[in-house]
Amino acid sequence: MFEEVIGQREIQERLLKLVADDRLPHAIMLCGPQGVGKKALAIGFARYLLSRNTMAQPSNVQAMLDKLEHPDLHFTYPTIKLPSMSSDHKPVSDDFSAEWHELLRSGFYFTMNEWLAQMGGENQQAIITAGESDELTRKLSLKSSQGGYKVSVIWLPERMNIECANKILKLLEEPPAMTVFVLVCEQPERLLETIRSRVQRIDVKRIDADDIRQALQEKRGLSEDMAQRVARMANGSWMTALEMLGVDSENEQFFLMFQSLMRTAYQRKARDLRTWSDDAAAMGREKQKRFLEYFLRLIRENFMYNFGKPELVYMTEREEQFAVRFAEYINEANVLPMVDLANTAMRDISQNAFAKIVFFDFALQISILIKAGR
């Protein structure tokens, strides 16, 4: 049931032991950073619970679980409002069921950005509406169709609006019979305290590097050396590892942007810096923030590269090739000001500042700081 999960054997055993010891709570919340397998664990556990239902033939149950179309398995996830929807319609998960199952067929590890793209709303803010809580209440009020458990998997409950959160709280306070809630959460501090107090929290740690290395070799066919490099850089996230494998990945685009900025800044070509800042400003705000996070990582890695200790450096082969000549420009004279500059730009972007001005000022300041490092 946990075939899709990378590593995390301790959590798997803990979940199964709850059932074996007859101590299964009605609500579990798996918490941890993005990419560590919380969603895969939740789905695997749901499959395990539903496989114990007895009314259907085992082969039929397995077929339904393989397709994640078991009638007693209910998914809740953030949604958007499409232009085709009426003004009074509150989007619910079922509106995007086809898109959700299509994305799951490609794997259980995906981000909110990928889910937004799947729904066709990259520039929208996805939430879980009160309409969803009403629909879930209706579904869970019905008897189990197969006998045994009903399982509600709620992905990113921190994105519930307040009306939805209060209704979900009532469900958690008075759960329907034989119903298990599995919440998959990345920012538990954003949830109502009353919700947090009614679930059993299980913290999911970052994936062990050896588990990522082994999965890269078995699932992606990487050599041991390449798998080891990627696993170290992934920092315990299977999503990060996958992103690093794609030639056309976002990280590749960010590397080229970083490389272009640093070369242009060193040459102090104001016209080219303006062009660079316009290109950066053309990205969506969430992508702009991800670039700045990438910028911060490469600044740190280039600074550490100067110490000549490979075990402290986490870069791709291309990034390291660039660092051979570039790293010396990032040193004690400018590393902290560059970090402050990127954090300030990220704050300004988050506050909806005019992106062209933010990035042009950012680029000009980099051209000053890069010279300070010589």
Side-chain angles (χ1 to χ4, degrees):
M1 296 300 175
F2 293 103
E3 296 87 353
E4 296 277 346
V5 180
I6 308 299
Q8 305 295 5
R9 283 176 287 276
E10 182 181 341
I11 300 296
Q12 295 177 41
E13 292 169 3
R14 181 175 174 182
L15 290 170
L16 296 180
K17 194 171 189 303
L18 287 174
V19 180
D21 293 347
D22 198 24
R23 293 187 297 105
L24 180 64
H26 73 277
I28 294 170
M29 185 164 70
L30 301 174
C31 297
Q34 179 178 283
V36 299
K38 304 180 299 299
K39 188 179 334 91
L41 284 164
I43 294 174
F45 188 50
R47 281 173 158 175
Y48 173 74
L49 291 176
L50 294 173
S51 70
R52 298 163 62 86
N53 292 356
T54 57
M55 287 181 62
Q57 292 295 323
S59 59
N60 294 338
V61 171
Q62 189 59 50
M64 291 187 289
L65 291 176
D66 287 344
K67 296 180 180 179
L68 299 180
E69 293 177 352
H70 193 290
D72 294 322
L73 173 60
H74 306 288
F75 286 109
T76 291
Y77 36 81
T79 58
I80 59 173
K81 188 150 189 173
L82 297 174
S84 58
M85 295 175 176
S86 64
S87 58
D88 59 346
H89 178 69
K90 296 178 181 178
V92 296
S93 297
D94 283 351
D95 292 333
F96 298 93
S97 178
E99 291 84 353
W100 176 257
H101 282 84
E102 182 180 352
L103 195 54
L104 285 175
R105 281 193 290 273
S106 66
F108 296 169
Y109 291 76
F110 54 82
T111 65
M112 172 52 67
N113 292 319
E114 291 174 287
W115 174 230
L116 283 170
Q118 184 77 4
M119 289 189 291
E122 292 91 335
N123 296 320
Q124 293 196 47
Q125 185 76 10
I127 65 170
I128 303 176
T129 69
E132 176 66 27
S133 54
D134 292 338
E135 182 65 10
L136 187 59
T137 300
R138 182 191 67 78
K139 290 177 180 178
L140 297 179
S141 67
L142 303 175
K143 289 184 178 181
S144 168
S145 66
Q146 302 297 315
Y149 289 111
K150 295 172 287 182
V151 183
S152 170
V153 176
I154 304 178
W155 183 48
L156 302 182
E158 59 266 39
R159 287 180 175 257
M160 294 186 294
N161 64 22
I162 189 63
E163 185 179 0
C164 175
N166 283 322
K167 291 182 176 182
I168 292 294
L169 172 61
K170 185 172 179 58
L171 268 179
L172 294 175
E173 289 175 332
E174 302 173 9
M178 294 296 290
T179 298
V180 177
F181 296 89
V182 186
L183 284 64
V184 178
C185 187
E186 291 178 4
Q187 297 175 292
E189 69 279 359
R190 291 179 54 188
L191 280 171
L192 295 176
E193 171 59 32
T194 44
I195 288 181
R196 298 201 301 268
S197 68
R198 283 165 175 76
V199 301
Q200 179 171 323
R201 174 170 171 167
I202 298 177
D203 289 316
V204 183
K205 298 178 181 178
R206 293 186 179 276
I207 308 170
D208 186 82
D210 282 342
D211 288 326
I212 294 180
R213 175 194 54 75
Q214 183 177 348
L216 288 170
Q217 291 181 259
E218 294 176 355
K219 296 176 179 290
R220 301 289 166 160
L222 268 65
S223 67
E224 184 174 357
D225 287 345
M226 179 59 74
Q228 184 68 35
R229 177 186 285 267
V230 173
R232 287 183 69 246
M233 291 186 56
N235 193 27
S237 169
W238 180 245
M239 284 304 310
T240 301
L242 294 181
E243 289 168 2
M244 291 169 57
L245 298 181
V247 175
D248 298 323
S249 71
E250 187 175 78
N251 276 5
E252 176 69 11
Q253 178 189 0
F254 289 166
F255 168 70
L256 295 175
M257 288 179 63
F258 180 89
Q259 188 180 56
S260 174
L261 171 62
M262 291 307 179
R263 287 174 172 169
T264 307
Y266 182 77
Q267 296 167 355
R268 293 201 170 184
K269 294 182 177 180
R271 187 185 299 274
D272 291 344
L273 288 174
R274 168 71 76 178
T275 300
W276 183 92
S277 62
D278 287 346
D279 290 342
M283 301 187 300
R285 292 191 183 274
E286 292 303 316
K287 191 170 183 179
Q288 290 164 3
K289 288 189 287 185
R290 293 196 299 275
F291 166 72
L292 290 168
E293 290 170 353
Y294 177 87
F295 174 92
L296 284 167
R297 182 179 73 80
L298 269 203
I299 290 298
R300 182 264 179 199
E301 298 304 336
N302 277 273
F303 179 68
M304 297 303 296
Y305 186 88
N306 293 316
F307 291 90
K309 294 187 179 296
E311 68 273 13
L312 299 177
V313 178
Y314 297 82
M315 287 191 279
T316 66
E317 189 172 355
R318 287 197 67 191
E319 290 168 349
E320 192 167 339
Q321 288 172 351
F322 181 64
V324 170
R325 294 188 176 183
F326 172 70
E328 63 184 87
Y329 294 91
I330 307 299
N331 49 53
E332 293 85 349
N334 59 15
V335 62
L336 291 180
M338 282 193 179
V339 168
D340 290 341
L341 184 65
N343 283 324
T344 299
M346 200 179 306
R347 180 203 65 198
D348 292 342
I349 291 298
S350 298
Q351 295 176 352
N352 294 322
F354 189 49
K356 285 189 176 183
I357 294 177
V358 172
F359 279 104
F360 188 47
D361 179 70
F362 177 77
L364 290 175
Q365 293 298 324
I366 290 294
S367 70
I368 296 171
L369 292 171
I370 202 73
K371 289 289 187 179
R374 293 302 292 158

